[in-house]
Amino acid sequence: MTEESAEVFVSVAERVRRSLADASPGERQVARVLLANYPAAGLETAARLAKRAGVSAPTVVRFVAGLGFAGYRAFQQALREEIEARRASPLTLGQQVGEGVLRLSAAAAFRQRLEESFAALSDAELGEVLALLADTTRRITLIGGRYSHILAEYLDMHLRLLRPATRVLDARPENMAAFCADAGRRDVVVVFDYRRYQRDIVEFARRVHDRGAKIVLFTDPWLSPASDVADLVIPARVEAPSPFDSLVPAMAQVETVVAGVTQRLGEAGETRLRQVEEIAGHVTMD
């Protein structure tokens, strides 16, 4: 399957988020109401959603049609399916493949998820992420959830070799609170949050956003609630051959970001990397 032929899954949340650029003022109001109370607002009647957005019911219907749905009922059905996907857990997903065909099935599944994730990735959005992370005047802080903290640590391990002022934030409440108190417009906060989203991570993202920090969110296609304050969103497919969600596509995206930041920093990044390697070599020899 090539990138051109891959059937790219785009969640309702992502469709709404992408619609903001080209929507009319009234439709933009509907989108903002949806994202601010997602997905509950979309499960209300069209008339109720229109009232909350301060627009007419036909504006809501036009907005939904612009997202690619045949009607408001189809829009709500997609939301209900999304809610089920968001709630998925190892207990509800069950075994995905039989042991006898595990190698081939797993290879096909991971290949498909990688292709889908990269096909859905916007070049423009990726470029903006790279620009932020390569801006050495900014302070980079990374944080993740119970499993996704691995991605935060992995990205930080590479960034710190290429540029100064980058770190992983320990997700203990006191550490997040202290960071929120100091956060400001020089900060870029990279958040990793995937389904069965962590309330503390989402609340942290909202607080640092209120302090003026830029938020880069790595999440799944159904979008963490932190997406309503994220400046940039990088979604990845998470379905796996096992009952547990996969971080393989997300890890590939992280490595792509590392490659892009390396290119952006150019000679400055290479010089820093050489200095770090030389110092590390002397420490090891001592």
Side-chain angles (χ1 to χ4, degrees):
M1 182 185 297
T2 65
E3 181 175 325
E4 290 75 18
S5 64
E7 183 179 345
V8 180
F9 171 81
V10 182
S11 68
V12 178
E14 181 66 6
R15 293 190 201 189
V16 172
R17 194 179 67 85
R18 291 180 182 181
S19 74
L20 286 169
D22 300 320
S24 68
E27 291 169 346
R28 197 171 294 119
Q29 281 295 104
V30 177
R32 286 172 177 159
V33 168
L34 280 169
L35 292 175
N37 189 22
Y38 188 86
L43 297 176
E44 299 176 338
T45 65
R48 176 62 180 164
L49 177 56
K51 183 177 181 180
R52 292 184 60 170
V55 300
S56 66
T59 299
V60 170
V61 174
R62 284 196 302 273
F63 173 75
V64 166
L67 297 179
F69 294 102
Y72 198 71
R73 181 177 297 180
F75 165 72
Q76 290 190 316
Q77 179 58 33
L79 280 178
R80 293 188 185 97
E81 292 172 0
E82 214 173 89
I83 290 170
E84 290 301 312
R86 277 179 161 213
R87 291 173 175 170
S89 74
L91 292 175
T92 61
L93 289 171
Q95 186 66 37
Q96 305 296 301
V97 295
E99 184 176 349
V101 293
L102 178 59
R103 180 179 63 85
L104 294 178
S105 295
F110 286 126
R111 184 164 55 248
Q112 180 179 352
R113 297 313 178 203
L114 280 165
E115 289 178 347
E116 291 168 343
S117 297
F118 277 92
L121 184 59
S122 160
D123 287 331
E125 199 143 30
L126 175 60
E128 291 183 55
V129 170
L130 298 179
L132 284 175
L133 297 184
D135 183 351
T136 56
T137 67
R138 292 182 177 273
R139 180 173 64 164
I140 309 298
T141 302
L142 305 97
I143 191 168
R146 184 171 56 163
Y147 290 105
S148 57
H149 73 90
I150 296 169
L151 297 172
E153 292 174 357
Y154 188 78
L155 179 53
D156 174 72
M157 286 173 63
H158 289 82
L159 289 180
R160 65 175 53 201
L161 296 175
L162 298 168
R163 52 153 297 154
T166 172
R167 65 161 174 160
V168 175
L169 183 64
D170 187 322
R172 285 179 291 183
E174 61 272 23
N175 292 338
M176 291 193 288
F179 181 86
C180 288
D182 296 332
R185 297 188 181 280
R186 286 184 57 249
D187 287 293
V188 176
V189 179
V190 182
V191 177
F192 293 86
D193 191 37
Y194 298 85
R195 67 180 173 184
R196 293 214 288 171
Y197 316 108
Q198 289 191 215
R199 187 174 302 174
D200 57 341
I201 299 296
V202 172
E203 182 59 26
F204 169 78
R206 288 173 174 160
R207 288 185 179 276
V208 293
H209 171 265
D210 290 343
R211 300 283 297 182
K214 291 283 189 181
I215 308 296
V216 176
L217 174 65
F218 286 77
T219 187
D220 52 51
W222 304 283
L223 302 187
S224 160
S227 63
D228 61 1
V229 296
D231 297 277
L232 298 162
V233 178
I234 305 295
R237 298 305 293 260
V238 295
E239 300 93 329
S242 77
F244 302 95
D245 281 347
S246 172
L247 294 180
V248 168
M251 178 64 82
Q253 289 175 338
V254 166
E255 296 215 354
T256 301
V257 167
V258 171
V261 171
T262 302
Q263 291 177 352
R264 295 267 177 143
L265 289 172
E267 187 176 341
E270 183 179 342
T271 298
R272 178 179 171 86
L273 178 58
R274 184 179 297 108
Q275 290 174 342
V276 171
E277 290 291 317
E278 288 175 355
I279 294 171
H282 286 304
V283 171
T284 302
M285 290 176 65
D286 293 342

